[in-house]
Amino acid sequence: MSTTTLLVRQNQLADTAVRTTADSALQDGEIRVQVDRFALTSNNITYAAMGEMLQYWQFFPSGEAGWGIIPVWGFGTVQESRHPDIPVGEHLYGYWPMATHAVLAPHRVSTTGFSDGAPHRAGLHAVYNHYLRTNTDPFYQPFNEDIQALLRPLFITSWLIDDFLADQQFFGASTVLLSSASSKTAYGTAFELAKRPGIQVVGLTSATNRAFCESLGCYHRVVAYEDLEQLAADTPCVYIDFAGSVALRQRIHQHCTQLAYSCAVGASHVGDLGGAGQLPGPRPVMFFAPAQVKKRTQEWGVQGLNERLVAAWQAFITAVQAQPQPWITVQQHQGPQATQALFLDLLRGQGDPRMGHVASMQP
């Protein structure tokens, strides 16, 4: 038995390598999971770009200095088990390495799932360490795994951004600007924001993606980046940055004289990343979804939060898959080389925003 993994050089993301290593025997309490399928989106590029700062490289150590394994969301099946409560054949949803297999050490096992108790993950956030048993997961639909892999983790972030802003009364603003408006996390956020009375949702995107964003129906207005200065400068607004572009952030902070809040979520423009620097207006802050999860879990309980999320998720995927023009079409990528090529395409910012990519390292 062996495991094939896609490695990425941490300080040079375009430098990738495929490694195959022999599997070691499982220890008592461990399971080996075949990683069946996972989504690859600009969100995973963010994981890599922010890997050092937000500890994403620590989830699945590569064992090679300078090389990392980018985490991905998707589905796996237990292939081998030395844990009494996790049977072979169990289907799981969660956070995986870009690899054919993963070894986990389940603890806090319940009817709904478990956490990975591996020592190197002990200090990492619980949201990323938790694996769900699909047979009790209220989100799960067996015919819809690709859409779940692609959109579920992103939509949860989208929902939490909307919830956070509403919780803060939108910092007194009535307009929300979203960069990278064609990205899945951005349009999920826009879908939720559009339900808020009195809130204007403005999408910022490239000229080539403007028609796509307008077709979604969740933006009140879509503006190409080069036309940003056409926006009224004195409107109280909030900026949600999904692009991570320093140049764009500077333009927005300089143009929008009534900017009430500036928040960074993603980093799809990896060639233009940087710190906040000296900007007029509010200092940009990083939105960290698990913090809002923790707040709402304390206030509503796990069940209360899940009920709200599942209801919102079902409404969202109904809209996303509506005919005659679904928001997303799934493209499959099978095998290590296809996955490697897909990652490099995403890193270059290439691709149709209506296309969703689901990959498997299985040959």
Side-chain angles (χ1 to χ4, degrees):
M1 292 281 292
S2 62
T3 293
T4 299
T5 306
L6 180 64
L7 301 184
V8 176
R9 195 177 291 279
Q10 294 173 356
N11 62 359
Q12 182 57 50
L13 300 182
D15 190 358
T16 63
V18 173
R19 296 274 194 275
T20 299
T21 54
D23 291 338
S24 55
L26 292 182
Q27 302 298 309
D28 284 344
E30 290 184 333
I31 62 173
R32 194 183 321 277
V33 182
Q34 176 179 290
V35 182
D36 298 323
R37 67 178 76 193
F38 52 84
L40 258 183
T41 71
S42 58
N43 187 47
N44 303 104
I45 305 300
T46 297
Y47 288 160
M50 305 290 184
E52 197 68 44
M53 182 169 64
L54 295 181
Q55 301 181 302
Y56 289 120
W57 297 125
Q58 295 184 31
F59 284 93
F60 305 106
S62 70
E64 294 189 39
W67 290 86
I69 300 171
I70 298 173
V72 288
W73 291 94
F75 293 90
T77 304
V78 178
Q79 196 172 56
E80 188 182 349
S81 177
R82 292 192 62 180
H83 193 289
D85 300 321
I86 311 290
V88 169
E90 176 126 37
H91 202 43
L92 304 169
Y93 168 80
Y95 210 46
W96 308 106
M98 274 207 271
T100 54
H101 299 84
V103 173
L104 306 176
H107 76 146
R108 298 187 192 138
V109 178
S110 72
T111 56
T112 59
F114 60 85
S115 294
D116 184 10
H120 72 271
R121 290 176 75 164
L124 302 174
H125 204 283
V127 167
Y128 300 110
N129 281 343
H130 197 62
Y131 292 82
L132 295 168
R133 308 173 101 153
T134 59
N135 58 3
T136 57
D137 178 8
F139 279 84
Y140 183 69
Q141 296 172 310
F143 57 87
N144 220 0
E145 284 194 357
D146 290 340
I147 292 294
Q148 291 169 79
L150 279 161
L151 295 180
R152 177 174 173 172
L154 308 183
F155 179 72
I156 289 173
T157 299
S158 300
W159 188 91
L160 291 165
I161 294 166
D162 167 74
D163 180 62
F164 168 76
L165 291 176
D167 203 22
Q168 304 295 324
Q169 282 88 46
F170 293 89
F171 299 89
S174 57
T175 296
V176 181
L177 308 176
L178 295 86
S179 64
S180 266
S182 66
S183 72
K184 298 168 186 66
T185 317
Y187 67 59
T189 307
F191 180 81
E192 293 299 302
L193 289 169
K195 302 173 186 176
R196 302 281 180 186
I199 298 298
Q200 283 287 306
V201 187
V202 178
L204 306 173
T205 190
S206 63
T208 52
N209 287 338
R210 184 174 175 178
F212 167 75
C213 294
E214 289 173 338
S215 76
L216 303 179
C218 56
Y219 293 104
H220 295 108
R221 184 178 177 189
V222 180
V223 178
Y225 292 130
E226 55 264 39
D227 299 329
L228 167 64
E229 282 73 19
Q230 293 179 9
L231 292 171
D234 58 353
T235 301
C237 60
V238 165
Y239 175 46
I240 310 297
D241 179 10
F242 293 96
S245 163
V246 174
L248 179 61
R249 187 185 303 132
Q250 287 174 337
R251 285 175 64 200
I252 285 170
H253 275 251
Q254 286 160 0
H255 178 70
C256 299
T257 58
Q258 298 297 310
L259 189 63
Y261 184 73
S262 180
C263 167
V265 179
S268 58
H269 294 184
V270 291
D272 190 21
L273 296 177
Q278 296 299 310
L279 294 171
R283 182 170 177 80
V285 295
M286 191 77 187
F287 180 77
F288 191 54
Q292 189 70 5
V293 170
K294 184 176 180 180
K295 179 179 188 293
R296 288 310 198 190
T297 301
Q298 289 169 345
E299 294 169 354
W300 298 336
V302 172
Q303 185 174 348
L305 175 59
N306 278 343
E307 286 172 353
R308 289 167 171 84
L309 275 170
V310 169
W313 164 252
Q314 289 171 346
F316 178 60
I317 61 168
T318 297
V320 164
Q321 297 177 99
Q323 298 296 333
Q325 192 177 39
W327 298 13
I328 193 166
T329 300
V330 178
Q331 185 174 356
Q332 307 285 347
H333 303 262
Q334 191 72 35
Q337 281 68 42
T339 303
Q340 185 178 30
L342 169 61
F343 171 75
L344 292 172
D345 281 348
L346 287 171
L347 190 65
R348 287 189 287 265
Q350 296 178 351
D352 179 349
R354 208 176 286 277
M355 195 67 70
H357 300 282
V358 172
S360 173
M361 290 286 287
Q362 303 300 325

